[in-house]
Amino acid sequence: MQTINFSVNSILKKGWFLHPILFATTPVLFLFSHNIAETPFQDIFFPAAVSLALGLIGIVLLFSILKNIWKASVLTSLGLMLFFSYGHFFRVIRGLRIGRVIVGRYAVTLPFYMLIFIACAIVIIKINKSIYRFTQILNISGIVFLLTILINIVIYSVGTINPKQVKIDFQDPNALNLAQSKKPDIYYIILDGYSRQDVLQEYYSFDNSDFINYLKGNGFIVTDKSNCNYSLTFLSLASSLNMTYFNSLYSADPKRKNDRSVVHSMIHNNIVVRTLKAIGYKIINFSSGWGPTNFLLKADCNYSRSLWNEFTMMVVETSMFSIIYKKLYFFKMKKEILSTLDQLSSVDNMKEPRFVLAHIVCPHPPFFFDQNGNPVATIEPNPGSSDWLNKSGYVNQLLFINNRIKNIIKSLLNRERKPIIVLQADHGSASSLYVVGSSHWKIPDNKSLRERVPILNAIYFPAQHDPLPNIPNSISPVNTFRYIFNCEFGTNYEILPDKSFFSSYDNPYKFLDVTSIVSE
């Protein structure tokens, strides 16, 4: 026992390698623990690996200068602490004024942090025997910090609802015995934030009839009274892909009011994908850069998947890399959108039927493109306000996506085996949910609800459907695949009432039934 105690004490006091590892990984785990409800565990691997690489580079460079491994490792850990705390610090004091001087800006805070590091370096370089004391303090502090984070993660995980507890109407796909030729490809294209034609006319003074007529002219059923079921993306997609409502979720547990983990899990393990996969479909997901649709766990292939997921970008934003965060974020999102649009109609030929899921974060802001697809300066028209207030930017990006979707549809319909195509928004636009000078939603009124809830909704069935399915003009996403499955695969899913629920980002499970308001 004494030997073990001595060994532990020796590692704590002279283990120069331990604390750099701890201070490289704990900032990533800390962020994960505070965003665990929205972040899949596998998303932490890339930023953690980059962080460890930064620590290793720091030790090598400083050791080559100082010729002392203990001093090099202590300075590396202090550098990592400063590096990963910078974004948090800047977020707190951003825009802060002292008298007439704005101190909450990069030109002030960055030199301030550098001075702190230089001061620490001078102290560390001058000390000798007490370097072991510094090493011990850093090792113990890092271990305590790590244990605190792990305890929080365990406490959260124990109290999380199992997604299997959410009741969903699921008909056994093994009962479907279909010939291969009767399984059409299915394309589910979600255009994020695409409003209905009448809303575009009323709120944006924009006539979208050219695009709507193009869809109708190519055989699409365009429903001009469709509304989303939920006003937030993650709820909307979970509902449409599971063909259900889940309004009682977390209603009895106010502590979980922001917990998105179960709903994200419902997207990953959704009923539509499970059903199609069970009857021989290959599942293809185009990475969106957002949450569950960036990497769909049940997909056979995730096209254009990027390691720069939402969580990685969060690490960037809260570190010293926050200086380049906006440029990096805009580059990433533009790449995701263009990559999906370029590849969507050219998915590799395969013998098996395919279900293609493409969640495209467009025309949703930020606004990257003009109507011809040329890049535009992503500058807020009203600093501190939401991009949604830039109405001309929204219309131009909508025209851009219209043109690209037309080309995709043309290519898909030129195939010998024409697919079912669902072109649908997750929710509408939101210009009336914001006021100038604020980036937060206001309390919704009837006007803002009638903008946010109505959506583009269009469905194409191949020519062998004669007559076409009797799709009601007010069909909502929760019923989309109920109709498709009943029509194509002989299921007998009940068609649910088309309802719409509004909730906010801050309290996503506090649902307000707005069906009567948006259906007037």
Side-chain angles (χ1 to χ4, degrees):
M1 184 64 70
Q2 289 180 343
T3 303
I4 295 174
N5 288 337
F6 174 78
S7 298
V8 170
N9 184 63
S10 178
I11 290 173
L12 289 176
K13 192 173 182 180
K14 296 186 178 181
W16 58 267
F17 57 87
L18 181 58
H19 56 81
I21 294 174
L22 291 170
F23 286 106
T25 54
T26 49
V28 177
L29 287 171
F30 175 78
L31 266 184
F32 173 70
S33 69
H34 282 265
N35 296 275
I36 190 171
E38 306 171 44
T39 308
F41 182 69
Q42 65 268 17
D43 282 4
I44 75 172
F45 296 151
F46 176 64
V50 172
S51 181
L52 285 168
L54 285 175
L56 178 61
I57 291 169
I59 289 176
V60 171
L61 288 177
L62 289 169
F63 177 70
S64 67
I65 297 169
L66 302 176
K67 308 302 181 184
N68 186 305
I69 193 64
W70 284 274
K71 292 182 179 182
S73 64
V74 167
L75 275 177
T76 297
S77 289
L78 291 173
L80 287 168
M81 282 187 255
L82 291 170
F83 182 84
F84 284 107
S85 67
Y86 179 81
H88 297 283
F89 173 72
F90 185 78
R91 185 183 291 179
V92 172
I93 71 161
R94 185 173 188 172
L96 178 67
R97 288 176 178 268
I98 298 179
R100 295 184 178 181
V101 180
I102 303 175
V103 296
R105 55 196 176 108
Y106 292 125
V108 175
T109 55
L110 205 57
F112 173 67
Y113 259 59
M114 289 180 178
L115 285 173
I116 293 175
F117 181 77
I118 291 170
C120 291
I122 292 171
V123 172
I124 297 300
I125 289 170
K126 288 185 175 182
I127 64 175
N128 290 309
K129 291 184 179 180
S130 56
I131 191 65
Y132 299 127
R133 183 66 175 164
F134 272 90
T135 299
Q136 186 178 36
I137 291 171
L138 288 173
N139 280 336
I140 293 173
S141 300
I143 291 170
V144 170
F145 189 28
L146 176 63
L147 289 175
T148 303
I149 293 169
L150 293 178
I151 288 170
N152 288 335
I153 292 173
V154 170
I155 290 173
Y156 171 85
S157 301
V158 169
T160 300
I161 293 175
N162 187 330
K164 294 179 180 179
Q165 295 174 350
V166 181
K167 293 183 179 180
I168 298 175
D169 183 11
F170 180 44
Q171 298 187 20
D172 184 5
N174 294 320
L176 307 176
N177 186 18
L178 303 173
Q180 191 79 7
S181 61
K182 291 186 179 182
K183 298 177 185 176
D185 292 343
I186 303 173
Y187 281 72
Y188 187 26
I189 303 172
I190 302 130
L191 301 180
D192 205 307
Y194 199 122
S195 277
R196 210 169 60 195
Q197 183 180 11
D198 56 329
V199 172
L200 293 172
Q201 184 68 61
E202 179 180 351
Y203 290 77
Y204 294 85
S205 301
F206 173 69
D207 183 0
N208 200 32
S209 58
D210 175 73
F211 183 62
I212 299 302
N213 290 335
Y214 175 85
L215 295 176
K216 290 179 178 178
N218 280 278
F220 278 80
I221 301 170
V222 181
T223 58
D224 57 14
K225 295 294 181 183
S226 286
N227 295 313
C228 66
N229 301 112
Y230 295 95
S231 57
L232 299 176
T233 298
F234 78 106
L235 295 169
S236 181
L237 295 188
S239 176
S240 64
L241 288 167
N242 286 286
M243 308 181 291
T244 192
Y245 297 103
F246 36 79
N247 288 20
S248 61
L249 196 63
Y250 294 125
S251 59
D253 189 357
K255 294 180 181 178
R256 300 283 178 177
K257 68 176 186 177
N258 288 311
D259 191 339
R260 288 162 167 77
S261 60
V262 170
V263 179
H264 280 205
S265 180
M266 289 173 67
I267 295 174
H268 281 297
N269 300 283
N270 67 80
I271 294 299
V272 170
V273 164
R274 285 164 55 193
T275 300
L276 295 174
K277 203 175 179 72
I279 59 175
Y281 275 76
K282 290 293 182 182
I283 310 301
I284 297 171
N285 176 60
F286 280 87
S287 300
S288 66
W290 170 86
T293 56
N294 185 60
F295 180 77
L296 193 68
L297 293 177
K298 292 291 185 181
D300 296 293
C301 177
N302 282 280
Y303 272 83
S304 308
R305 185 197 175 195
S306 172
L307 293 172
W308 293 91
N309 51 54
E310 275 190 307
F311 181 73
T312 300
M313 295 307 298
M314 194 183 304
V315 175
V316 170
E317 188 181 14
T318 55
S319 71
M320 207 166 279
F321 282 143
S322 62
I323 300 168
I324 60 169
Y325 168 75
K326 275 198 171 182
K327 289 185 178 179
L328 191 60
Y329 174 75
F330 292 153
F331 171 79
K332 164 190 171 306
M333 290 306 298
K334 280 193 285 189
K335 182 177 179 295
E336 297 282 0
I337 292 168
L338 291 174
S339 178
T340 296
L341 294 172
D342 290 341
Q343 298 181 72
L344 188 51
S345 59
S346 57
V347 175
D348 294 338
N349 289 326
M350 53 182 68
K351 294 180 180 179
E352 303 91 346
R354 72 198 78 172
F355 173 72
V356 179
L357 175 64
H359 173 205
I360 305 171
V361 187
C362 188
H364 192 291
F367 303 123
F368 305 116
F369 309 103
D370 67 12
Q371 61 182 308
N372 298 314
N374 299 313
V376 297
T378 47
I379 301 174
E380 295 173 348
N382 303 291
S385 303
S386 168
D387 285 349
W388 279 112
L389 295 174
N390 183 359
K391 290 189 175 184
S392 62
Y394 176 77
V395 170
N396 282 329
Q397 192 147 284
L398 185 138
L399 284 167
F400 157 73
I401 199 69
N402 282 357
N403 291 330
R404 294 300 302 266
I405 291 297
K406 284 181 181 178
N407 292 333
I408 290 169
I409 288 171
K410 181 179 178 181
S411 177
L412 293 177
L413 296 186
N414 280 335
R415 292 181 178 178
E416 182 179 349
R417 190 175 72 181
K418 292 179 173 56
I420 292 174
I421 305 172
V422 179
L423 195 62
Q424 191 175 85
D426 53 342
H427 55 70
S429 55
S431 65
S432 57
L433 270 170
Y434 293 92
V435 294
V436 175
S438 174
S439 58
H440 298 283
W441 282 5
K442 65 178 185 179
I443 297 173
D445 53 19
N446 287 3
K447 180 181 179 181
S448 55
L449 291 172
R450 288 171 183 153
E451 180 188 2
R452 181 68 174 185
V453 176
I455 58 169
L456 169 74
N457 193 33
I459 307 174
Y460 175 85
F461 286 93
Q464 65 260 28
H465 290 281
D466 189 18
L468 289 172
N470 185 23
I471 303 291
N473 207 26
S474 60
I475 184 177
S476 63
V478 75
N479 282 316
T480 297
F481 287 98
R482 287 175 177 263
Y483 272 100
I484 291 174
F485 285 2
N486 288 351
C487 176
E488 286 294 328
F489 307 137
T491 56
N492 57 347
Y493 280 108
E494 174 190 359
I495 303 304
L496 302 177
D498 291 307
K499 290 183 174 292
S500 298
F501 300 93
F502 180 89
S503 59
S504 68
Y505 289 108
D506 296 329
N507 207 340
Y509 303 111
K510 187 178 181 180
F511 298 113
L512 175 66
D513 189 339
V514 298
T515 308
S516 60
I517 296 173
V518 299
S519 300
E520 292 177 1

